[in-house]
């Protein structure tokens, strides 16, 4: 994505990030550009395949996770 202003000054349309879960995967998508999408878990030892990324309109990002044994 190419911006004509500094990212801190850019105005982006409000658009919630949709999240669906299936078979241990998170499927994230949105209708407008989202900068710095961050997935936060209460389990401190969870490991994600990706985190803190930009999401383009219409893009679907699949994120997988690993949790320590015994964590839900």
């Amino acid at each position: 994505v190419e911006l004509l202003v500094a990212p801190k000054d850019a105005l982006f349309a409000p658009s919630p990030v949709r999240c669906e879960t299936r078979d241990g995967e998170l499927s994230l998508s949105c209708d407008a550009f989202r900068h710095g999408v961050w997935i936060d878990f209460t389990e401190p030892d969870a490991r994600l395949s990706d985190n803190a990324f930009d999401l383009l309109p219409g893009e679907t990002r699949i994120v997988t996770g690993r949790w320590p044994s015994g964590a839900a």
Side-chain angles (χ1 to χ4, degrees):
V1 173
E2 193 169 328
L3 301 175
L4 300 177
V5 297
K8 67 177 183 66
D9 296 326
L11 298 174
F12 300 111
S15 176
V17 174
R18 291 182 296 280
C19 179
E20 298 176 10
T21 59
R22 185 189 321 190
D23 299 328
E25 296 181 337
L26 300 173
S27 174
L28 305 161
S29 61
C30 63
D31 295 326
F33 176 72
R34 304 309 302 157
H35 174 68
V37 174
W38 177 262
I39 303 166
D40 191 14
F41 284 95
T42 56
E43 174 57 52
D45 294 327
R47 298 290 180 246
L48 301 174
S49 62
D50 200 355
N51 209 354
F53 50 84
D54 294 341
L55 196 56
L56 299 173
E59 174 186 11
T60 299
R61 179 72 59 108
I62 304 296
V63 177
T64 58
R66 290 187 328 187
W67 292 262
S69 60

